[in-house]
């Protein structure tokens, strides 16, 4: 399941929330992959590494190297007819292991790319010069991002994407294209509220369902940077965002508070000892609630897949029954004109059957990664 963490504006604690949710999913025994797709302002690794380990992490290849490797291979005019033989770099080759202590749980990080001092200038140039529109239109970018999504799901149960803020092309990759669930972090000010509402509208457009190949998409709005003593903040969010109806859910019961002690260092709240200066039960409760809610939405996505698969199989069964009935009628019919009419109807049913079988095949190929 892919969860994209998005915020219209920065400074609402989106990346910190992702790091804490990753830790909690890991503690549940999940295989968790974090991807820092905030290419212009990365920094997720600072929640997990310090000193020499941090520098070593920043020297590792990541998202930008994967994209560069892909374009290099495509320049050789690759045959893409067999996905199992595609020569592109597997993202698992570039992930940074963080934790592998429990029997089942694992935690990995895929960084934006090499950003150690000797690579930083090249990284910045690569990000600034990368043309996402050209990538999609002329480099089969949609095909590659779909492939990348499937590869990540092969080794991770939970994939957490840290997206760019605002309305950007790279943010669109994380929300429109990759996500199964989009968690939108919103502070109680007008810019955040308006931007979040517009994003929900964009993610609710009917044509997006077709562009995503029928994959369901859930959205969740999380109040963030909230002063728990200021009831007017919660009221404002409820009045402005609680009216979105089925388009999105406002998680009023999950309010991530502003805790000033977390403004100075990248620290993970859920690992803090109760006797420590950074211990914040309100913050821990919020992250635990968020993790539980995301897990529930993931289950809803799986259920939607199952329902769609069942519906297609029911259509296929009905078509097969109608086809068999027409076949029997054609055998018994003696009038040549009616016989031709029955044959034409059988051909139409056969075309419908092939189309549904193709949909079912694509769905089952995707659904495999949601089990």
């Amino acid at each position: 399941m892919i969860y994209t963490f998005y915020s219209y504006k920065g400074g609402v604690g989106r990346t910190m929330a992702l790091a804490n949710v990753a830790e909690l999913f890991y503690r549940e025994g999940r295989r968790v992959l974090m991807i820092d797709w905030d290419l212009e302002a990365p920094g997720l690794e600072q929640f997990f590494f310090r000193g020499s380990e941090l520098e070593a992490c920043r020297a590792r290849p990541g998202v930008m190297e994967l994209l560069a490797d892909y374009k290099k291979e495509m320049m050789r005019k690759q045959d893409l007819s067999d996905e199992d033989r595609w020569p592109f770099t597997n993202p698992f080759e570039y992930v940074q292991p963080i934790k592998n202590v429990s029997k089942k749980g694992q935690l990995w990080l895929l960084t934006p790319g090499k950003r150690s001092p000797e690579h930083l200038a090249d990284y910045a140039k690569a990000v600034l010069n990368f043309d996402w529109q050209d990538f999609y239109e002329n480099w089969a970018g949609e095909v590659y991002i779909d492939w990348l999504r499937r590869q990540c799901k092969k080794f991770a149960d939970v994939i957490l994407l840290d997206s760019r803020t605002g309305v950007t092309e790279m943010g669109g990759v994380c929300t429109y294209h990759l996500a199964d669930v989009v968690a939108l972090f919103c502070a109680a000010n007008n810019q955040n509220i308006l931007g979040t509402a517009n994003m929900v509208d964009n993610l609710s457009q009917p044509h997006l369902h077709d562009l995503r190949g029928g994959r369901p998409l859930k959205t969740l709005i999380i109040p963030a940077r909230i002063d728990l003593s200021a009831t007017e903040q919660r009221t404002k969010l409820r009045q402005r965002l609680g009216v979105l109806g089925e388009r999105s859910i406002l998680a009023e019961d999950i309010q991530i508070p502003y805790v000033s002690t977390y403004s100075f260092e990248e620290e993970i709240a859920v690992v803090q000892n109760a006797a420590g200066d950074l211990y914040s039960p309100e913050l821990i409760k919020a992250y635990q609630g968020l993790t539980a809610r995301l897990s529930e939405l993931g289950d809803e996505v799986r259920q939607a897949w199952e329902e769609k698969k069942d519906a297609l199989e029911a259509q296929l069964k009905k078509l097969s029954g109608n086809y068999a009935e027409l076949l029997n009628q054609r055998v018994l019919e003696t009038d040549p004109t009616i016989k031709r009419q029955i044959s034409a109807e059988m051909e139409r049913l056969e075309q419908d059957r092939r189309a549904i079988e193709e949909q079912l095949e694509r769905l089952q190929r995707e659904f495999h990664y949601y089990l």
Side-chain angles (χ1 to χ4, degrees):
M1 196 64 56
I2 298 181
Y3 301 94
T4 290
F5 283 49
Y6 169 87
S7 61
Y8 181 73
K9 300 286 287 185
V12 297
R14 181 194 71 246
T15 303
M16 181 177 168
L18 189 152
N20 279 271
V21 169
E23 177 70 27
L24 291 169
F25 271 131
Y26 161 75
R27 291 186 175 193
E28 292 179 3
R30 311 281 191 102
R31 297 173 300 161
V32 183
L33 170 64
M34 301 176 292
I35 303 179
D36 193 345
W37 209 290
D38 189 356
L39 305 180
E40 292 183 355
L44 179 57
E45 71 274 0
Q46 295 186 68
F47 285 93
F48 299 94
F49 299 106
R50 297 287 189 273
S52 60
E53 289 185 345
L54 178 60
E55 293 306 313
C57 179
R58 287 174 172 166
R60 289 183 65 85
V63 173
M64 292 307 299
E65 282 75 22
L66 285 173
L67 295 171
D69 293 348
Y70 165 72
K71 294 179 73 173
K72 182 178 179 180
E73 291 293 342
M74 287 296 287
M75 291 178 68
R76 299 173 181 172
K77 298 182 178 180
Q78 297 290 344
D79 178 11
L80 300 182
S81 59
D82 184 1
E83 181 174 320
D84 292 334
R85 301 180 64 182
W86 287 4
F88 313 131
T89 303
N90 190 304
F92 190 70
E93 295 181 24
Y94 288 169
V95 299
Q96 169 74 48
I98 296 176
K99 292 185 178 182
N100 183 17
V101 179
S102 65
K103 292 182 179 179
K104 292 176 58 179
Q106 292 177 293
L107 185 60
W108 298 286
L109 170 65
L110 180 62
T111 73
K114 294 181 179 180
R115 287 167 295 120
S116 54
E118 64 271 24
H119 296 114
L120 187 56
D122 290 336
Y123 171 82
K125 182 178 179 180
V127 171
L128 291 173
N129 292 336
F130 196 89
D131 188 332
W132 286 98
Q133 182 174 349
D134 173 70
F135 179 69
Y136 269 79
E137 291 181 355
N138 300 315
W139 293 89
E142 181 178 359
V143 174
Y144 175 69
I145 296 298
D146 277 335
W147 176 84
L148 186 65
R149 173 173 53 84
R150 291 191 291 270
Q151 295 305 306
C152 289
K153 286 186 175 182
K154 285 182 178 180
F155 65 88
D157 306 316
V158 175
I159 301 164
L160 304 175
L161 285 174
D162 196 15
S163 173
R164 186 72 178 125
T165 59
V167 181
T168 64
E169 290 171 318
M170 69 178 72
V173 174
C174 297
T175 54
Y176 295 90
H177 198 156
L178 286 170
D180 298 307
V181 177
V182 179
L184 302 104
F185 293 79
C186 182
N189 58 60
N190 293 332
Q191 291 185 65
N192 271 283
I193 291 172
L194 180 59
T196 300
N198 288 338
M199 191 64 178
V200 169
D201 285 338
N202 292 336
L203 293 173
S204 305
Q205 295 299 315
H207 74 279
L208 188 59
H209 183 266
D210 295 331
L211 290 175
R212 289 169 51 84
R215 291 188 296 123
L217 178 64
K218 299 284 185 179
T219 60
L220 178 70
I221 302 172
I222 301 103
R225 201 177 173 84
I226 299 296
D227 181 350
L228 297 181
S229 64
T231 58
E232 66 272 13
Q233 290 186 355
R234 299 192 294 276
T235 300
K236 184 176 183 179
L237 286 168
R238 184 185 308 114
Q239 291 175 343
R240 300 281 295 276
L241 298 177
V243 296
L244 294 175
E246 295 182 356
R247 287 176 291 169
S248 188
I249 303 167
L250 174 62
E252 291 190 71
D253 57 327
I254 305 170
Q255 304 193 30
I256 300 179
Y258 170 71
V259 180
S260 60
T261 52
Y262 281 87
S263 301
F264 308 104
E265 294 286 343
E266 287 78 6
E267 298 284 353
I268 299 177
V270 297
V271 303
Q272 302 301 321
N273 188 286
D277 294 336
L278 290 175
Y279 181 69
S280 172
E282 296 85 4
L283 205 51
I284 293 173
K285 180 182 178 181
Y287 291 139
Q288 290 173 337
L290 175 57
T291 304
R293 183 64 67 84
L294 291 176
S295 186
E296 290 172 2
L297 288 175
D299 290 339
E300 291 181 16
V301 170
R302 292 186 185 92
Q303 183 179 352
W305 277 108
E306 291 177 350
E307 291 174 353
K308 186 170 183 178
K309 180 173 72 69
D310 291 344
L312 287 173
E313 289 176 342
Q315 290 180 42
L316 196 60
K317 183 178 180 180
K318 183 178 180 179
L319 280 175
S320 297
N322 293 342
Y323 187 89
E325 185 178 337
L326 287 171
L327 179 61
N328 186 54
Q329 290 179 17
R330 190 175 68 177
V331 170
L332 298 176
E333 183 60 56
T334 57
D335 188 317
T337 301
I338 297 178
K339 208 175 187 72
R340 286 193 296 272
Q341 292 174 350
I342 293 174
S343 295
E345 179 65 13
M346 289 177 65
E347 177 60 29
R348 185 188 67 79
L349 287 181
E350 179 64 17
Q351 292 176 357
D352 291 344
R353 182 189 64 80
R354 287 196 294 267
I356 291 176
E357 284 183 339
E358 289 176 1
Q359 290 183 56
L360 191 57
E361 182 181 353
R362 289 195 301 270
L363 184 70
Q364 289 174 330
R365 186 170 60 245
E366 289 286 346
F367 184 70
H368 167 75
Y369 301 110
Y370 291 85
L371 297 177

